[in-house]
C-alpha cells in the first residue's frame, strides 16, 4: 500500500468543522485520469437550519460528477456536509451552494447535485442543479430518489 | 334485483352534510347474518381542520368491523367522512370519535379504526382504536399501511 | 399418466356457466389424504354486478382451505368464478357466499376467503370470512394483499 | 440571520384564504439568480370540489419550475393550494389553472405541473401541463408518481 | 356552479350499454383550450371475451391524450369501457380499436393506449398503440405499469 | 364469433414439441394491419439445458415486436418456448436465436428480445437483442425487469 | 374553537432547546380518556452526536403509546427530539432514554420506542424498548421500518 | 479443510437424475447437532409436468426444516428437485410429496414446504404443508413469498 | 464526553484479525442495565470460504439480542465479522457459530442470528438460530429480510 | 453437445486466483457473431480492500457489453472478480480498472461498468464508466440498481 496517496482525513479522527467556511475538502489525484467516468455520492445524513425560524431542516443529497485532474476524498466530503449542522440557509440556496463550491474548487468536467428535503407544512422541496449540459459520452443514470407521497 | 333493500344514498345524488352531526349513516340488514366475518373500508380521502391553527389536516383512515344485525352502506359512510371537511378536532379525538360513533350506532360485534395522519412538523401521528378484544375466530389481517419514512 | 383421475373440465373446452347456480364444481380425490395441509387460490379476474345500480364490480379473491376427502379442480373453480359475470350481489354477500358454497359442497377441514374489491366512491371494501377457527397445526400464511392507498 | 428576506407568511399564523382569488403568493428573490436549476414541490394534501356533483375531489400535485428573478415561498404556496378547498372545478381545469397562475405571476424560466387525481368511477385522471419545452441544459428528473393499479 | 357544462352521464344513473357500438362517448369543451397538455386515464376494471374460446379476458388499460377542442367526460368513458363486457375480440384488436375510436371521434392533438392483459397460458400480452409521433413540447411520462413476473 | 380466423392450437390440446426444430409457430393475420403498434409477451416460464454441464437453466423472457402482415398466436408461442425444455444452448445463443427465428419467420416491422437468466455461480446473465433501430413513431416502453440483487 | 385547550408551543415560534434537559414536553388532557387506544409518532428527522468521536449520528425513531390522563402535544415532542442535536450518547442509551423520559413524565398506560440508526462501519444498530408487556386488548401494529440491506 | 466431510455431489459434475425415484439425496452430519435451529432453502427453478395435459408447470418452492442428526447437502437437493423435470403430478401432490420424502429420509425435528405455482387459467395455486406443529422455541420467520396479483 | 467508557477499537485504526480465533470482541457496560430491551445489528458485508471448494461465500447477517450486564461495541463486532474472510465453514456452521460465540462470551439475556446466504446452484440457504425462547415482555420485530426470488 | 467449445473453467473446480494479475479470463467465440446485441452481468458478490485502512470494501457490480468476436465465459469472470479479495484499491480505481481490462482484452464493440459500493462514513460511492458512446442501434436498458437511502 506504499504508493497510495495519503488522504488528509481518511483513517484519522477529525472534529466536525464549525461551519462550511471552516471545512476543508481534500482533493486527491484522479486514479483514472484521462477517462470520462462518473462518480456518485449519496448522503442521506444532512441537516442545516432554517434561516427564518431557526428550526432544523433535513435533506437527502445526491452528488454526481465527472472527475478531471482530481477526485474528492469521501471522508472530507462527509466532514464538509457535517459542517452545515449550524448553518442557516434556504433549501434552494444550500443545495445549489454545495454544488457550486465543489464545482469551483475541484474543477471537474461536470457536476450536478440533487437535494431532496424533508417536508415542511406537508410540502417537501427538491432542488436540482447542474454545472451545464453533461459531457457527450458520459453515462448518467437517474438518481432515482423516490418521490414524496404523504400517507396511505 | 327486486328484493334488494333500497339504500338511502346509493344511486342518488346527495349534498355533502355540513357537519358530522348532520350526517346520517345508513345501516342495512346484514346479508350474511349469523356468520362471523370482517368488513374493511379504506378511506384515503379524509380531511378535517386543526382546532388550534384552523389549517387543514389530512388522513388515510382504515375501518374494520364484524357485522351484527346490520352493515353500513358505503355511500353513506363516504358522506359521513366528507362531513368532517369543516370540523375542527385533534387527530386522536377525530379518529377515536369516528370509531365510537360507528360502533355505538351500528352495534357490530366488534370494530376498530386506524387513522394515519399526514406529517406536521415532520412528524405524523397514527391513532389505533378498537372497541375491545376481537371476537374469537374472527380473521383479522393487518391493515398494512406503510410507515412514514421521510425522504431518501 | 394412466392412473390419474380424469377431471371434468381440465383439458377440455367448456362454455362459461350462465349463473352461479348453473356452475358445477369438480371435486377430485385428495392425493395426499390424511395430511393436514393448505391450498391457496388467488383469483384476480373476478367481476359481478351491483344489485342497486347494475354497474360492474371487480374484485381480487383469495381462497385458502385445508382439504378433507377431496380437492377442488382449479379449472372448475375458474368456471364457477366466471359464472358471477352477470350475477347481482353486494360485496359482503358475494364474498361470503362463495366461501360458504365451497365449504358446504367440498366439506374441507377448514376454509376462508378474502375478497378485495375495487373502490367505489373512493372507498374499497374488503371482506374476510372463515368457516371457523383454523385447525391446530395448520400452517397459515397471511394472504398479503396490499392495502388500497389512493394516489401519490 | 439578519440579512435574510422576511417572508410574508413563514413563521406566522395565517388563516386559510377563502378562495384562490383571495390567496396571495409570496415571491422572494432567487438566492441563486443566474443559475439554471429546478425546484420541485410535492403536495399530496390537495382537495377541491366537483363542479357537477359538489362532492370533494382529492389530488396529489407535483410542481416543477426553473426560477428566474424570484422563487415562491413554500408556506404561501401551501396557503394558495389550501384555498381550493371550497373551489369547484374539473380536474383538467384546476390542474392547468394552478400551473398557469404560478407561471404568469412568478415569471420563471419554465414550469410544469402534474396532477394525480384520486379515482372516480374506478378511473383516476392524471393531468400533465408545462409552459413550453424545457430550457436546454435543465436537469429534469421524472416526477415518478406511481400509476394507479386498482386492487390485488 | 351555474356556468358549468352539463355532462350527459355524470351525476345520473345510466345502464351499461350492451355493446361498444351502442355506447355513446360524451365530449365536452376543453376548459383549457389552446394549451398543450396531457390527460391520462387508468382503467384497471376492463373485461371482454376471447373470440375463440368465449372465456373472459381481463386487462388494465391506460389512455393518454392531448386534448384539442374537447375532452372526454370520464363517466361516459367508463360506460364505454364497460360495454366491452360481452364483446369478443383479440387483445391486439380490442386495445388498438379503443384507441382508434377515441382518436377518430374526439379528434385530439394526439392519443395513445397501453393494454396490459392478464396472462393466458402463463404469458400475458401487452399492446401499445399511438396515433403518431407525440407533439413537440408535450410532457409525456411513462405509464409505469409493472411488468408481469410470474411467482417467487 | 364466426368470422374469427381459426388458430391452429388455441382451444385445442397439443403435446409439447420435442425440440425447437419441431415446433411450429402459428402466424395469423394482423387485425389492425396498417397501424404501427407494439406487442409485448412476458414469458417467465422458460427452461433449457446448459451445453457444457447438461444442467437445467431458467430464464424470464420478454419479447416486443411491431406487427407487419401477421401477428403470432400466443399459444403457439408458448409451445415453441416449451420446446426448449431439452435443448442445450448458451444463454447468449438461445436468447438471440429465439429473437431471430421469430423475426425471420414472422417478418414484423421490428422485434427485440430480453432474456433475463437465473444466476449461475452467483452471476446472472441478461441478453438484449433487437432486429435494428426501432421504427420512428413506435411507442416503446422499458421492459422493466428488475435487476438481480443477491440477498439482503 | 374556544373550548380547545391552548397548547404551549403549537401555533407559536419557539427556539430549539439547547439540550434534552432544557426541553419541556407539553402534556394536554387526553380527549378520549377512558378509552384504550394507541398513538404512534414517526420521527425520521433525528440527530445526536457520538460520545467517542463527536461525529453526528442520525436515526429514524418511532414511538408508540397508550394514553392515560394526558397525551403529548406533537410540537413539544418535535422540540424535545430536536434538543438532542448537540447531545452525545450511545445509540442504545439515547433510544431507551427518550422512551423512559416520556414514560416517566407522561405516565401513559404503556409505551415503546424503536430507534433505527443509520449505519456506522457498514452496520446499523436498531434499538427496541418497551415499558412492559402491552395492555390486554390494545391494538398494536408492527412499526414496519424496513431492514437495512446495503447495496444491490 | 482436511476434516470436512466429503459431500457426494458438491464440487463434482453429476448428471440430472431421470426421475425423483432415481435421485439420491446426500445427508451429512449436522455440524451444530444439539442446537435447535432452522434452515431455509429457496428454490425458484422448479418445473414438472401436468398429469392431465402433459404441459410444463413451474413453481417457486421454499423448504424450512429444523435439523436432527443430519442436514441435507444443497447440491444433492438441487439435483433431486431437477429430477422432477419429466415427472407428472398435480400441484398439491408434488409439493406435499417433496416435503414428505425429505422428512421421512432425513428425519429432521420438523419440516415444512411452501409451493408457489405459476398461474393456470389465471389462477395460481399455493400449497403449504408441515410435518406437525413446530417445535417450541424454534424461530420461524414467514416465507414471505409475495402474493400473485395479476396485472396493473 | 469524559465519563464515557473508552472502547478498544472505536475511534482507532485496527487491522482486520486473521481469523475468528484471533478476533477480540469488546463488551462495554450496558448503559441501560436493568431494562429489558433489544438491540439489532444488520451486517450485509459478510464473506467466508466454502470448506469443500474453497470458493468465496457471501451472506447478509442480522443479529438480535437482549443485553444483560454488557453490550457489544459495534466496531469490534465489525472486526470479528471481517475475520471470517479467510475462514472455511458450511453456512449452517458459520451462522450458528457466530451466534453461539456472542451468546457465550457476552452472556446476554437472549440472542438470535439470521444468516441469509447468497445462492449457490440457484438455491440460497437461510439459517435461523436463537439461544432459547425469547424473554417474556421483550419486543421482537421480524428481521424482515426479503426472500430470494430468482429473476423476473 | 459435441460441437460446443470447451470452456477452460466451466464444469471444473478451480482455485481462486491470488490477485487480478494472476486471474485469466476465458474468451470463447461469439455464438451470434455479426449480430449487435448486449450482454449484462450482475455481480453482487464483490469485495476488495481499502488501500488506506486495509479494511474490506464491498460492492455490487453490473457489467454491460456488446460482443465482437468473442464473449467472456461467466465462470472465468467469477474467478477474476473473486481475485480482488486481497487487492487494495480505491473505489474509482477498481471499478474503472475492471472495465478497462475487460474492454482491452476482449475487444468488444462497447462496454460499460457500474460499481455500487457499500457506504463508508454513511456515504456510498457509485462509479459509472463506459468505453465510449454506445453503438447506434444497441438496445441499452438502465442498470436499475436502487439508490442508497439510509434508514426509515
Ligand atoms: Ca410536515
Ligand atoms: Ca373512486
Ligand atoms: Ca404476519
Ligand atoms: Ca396518498
Ligand atoms: Ca372507484
Ligand atoms: Ca390488479
Ligand atoms: Ca395463466
Ligand atoms: Ca423514464
Ligand atoms: Ca447461483
Ligand atoms: Ca445486497
Ligand atoms: Ca457506514
Ligand atoms: Ca404482523
Ligand atoms: Ca410476522
Ligand atoms: Ca420468478
Ligand atoms: Ca430511465
Ligand atoms: Ca430516510
Amino acid at each position: 500500500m506504499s504508493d497510495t496517496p495519503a488522504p488528509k482525513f481518511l483513517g484519522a479522527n477529525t472534529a466536525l468543522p464549525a461551519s462550511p467556511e471552516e471545512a476543508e475538502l481534500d482533493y486527491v489525484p484522479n486514479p483514472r485520469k484521462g477517462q470520462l467516468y462518473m462518480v456518485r455520492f449519496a448522503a442521506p445524513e444532512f441537516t442545516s437550519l432554517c434561516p427564518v425560524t431557526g428550526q432544523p431542516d433535513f435533506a437527502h443529497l445526491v452528488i454526481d460528477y465527472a472527475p478531471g485532474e482530481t477526485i474528492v476524498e469521501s471522508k472530507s466530503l462527509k466532514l464538509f456536509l457535517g459542517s452545515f449542522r449550524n448553518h442557516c440557509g434556504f433549501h434552494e440556496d444550500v443545495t445549489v451552494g454545495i454544488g457550486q463550491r465543489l464545482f469551483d474548487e475541484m474543477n471537474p468536467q461536470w457536476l450536478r447535485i440533487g437535494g431532496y428535503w424533508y417536508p415542511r407544512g406537508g410540502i417537501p422541496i427538491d432542488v436540482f442543479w447542474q454545472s451545464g449540459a453533461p459531457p457527450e459520452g458520459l453515462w448518467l443514470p437517474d438518481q432515482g430518489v423516490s418521490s414524496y407521497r404523504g400517507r396511505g
Side-chain angles (χ1 to χ4, degrees), chain A residues 79-101:
Chain A
L79 292 168
F80 170 57
L81 295 178
S83 75
F84 282 80
R85 199 170 181 86
N86 296 308
H87 175 87
C88 296
F90 284 111
H91 297 353
E92 292 89 341
D93 197 26
V94 169
T95 311
V96 178
I98 289 172
Q100 288 186 311
R101 172 148 170 202

Side-chain angles (χ1 to χ4, degrees), chain A residues 5-143:
Chain A
K8 288 184 191 162
F9 307 109
L10 181 57
N13 287 327
T14 312
L16 203 63
S19 71
E21 291 72 29
E22 292 183 23
E24 182 184 6
L25 284 147
D26 185 17
Y27 302 101
V28 300
N30 177 353
R32 294 282 162 175
K33 204 169 345 185
Q35 290 294 326
L36 179 64
Y37 66 100
M38 195 179 88
V39 178
R40 168 170 296 169
F41 294 107
E45 309 185 16
F46 184 83
T47 182
S48 58
L49 299 172
C50 173
V52 175
T53 65
Q55 297 295 319
D57 283 329
F58 287 77
H60 179 102
L61 303 180
V62 183
I63 299 167
D64 291 336
Y65 76 99
E69 296 291 310
T70 56
I71 58 174
V72 59
E73 191 278 317
S74 74
K75 187 165 180 187
S76 76
L77 178 66
K78 176 188 163 164
L79 292 168
F80 170 57
L81 295 178
S83 75
F84 282 80
R85 199 170 181 86
N86 296 308
H87 175 87
C88 296
F90 284 111
H91 297 353
E92 292 89 341
D93 197 26
V94 169
T95 311
V96 178
I98 289 172
Q100 288 186 311
R101 172 148 170 202
L102 283 166
F103 184 70
D104 292 346
E105 281 187 18
M106 183 172 26
N107 204 20
Q109 302 188 53
W110 173 84
L111 185 147
R112 71 179 182 187
I113 181 170
Y116 307 88
W117 295 80
Y118 285 55
R120 290 294 163 261
I123 298 180
I125 299 182
D126 294 345
V127 182
F128 302 92
W129 178 83
Q130 58 187 358
S131 65
E136 290 226 1
L138 183 70
W139 172 25
L140 194 56
D142 286 350
Q143 292 196 343

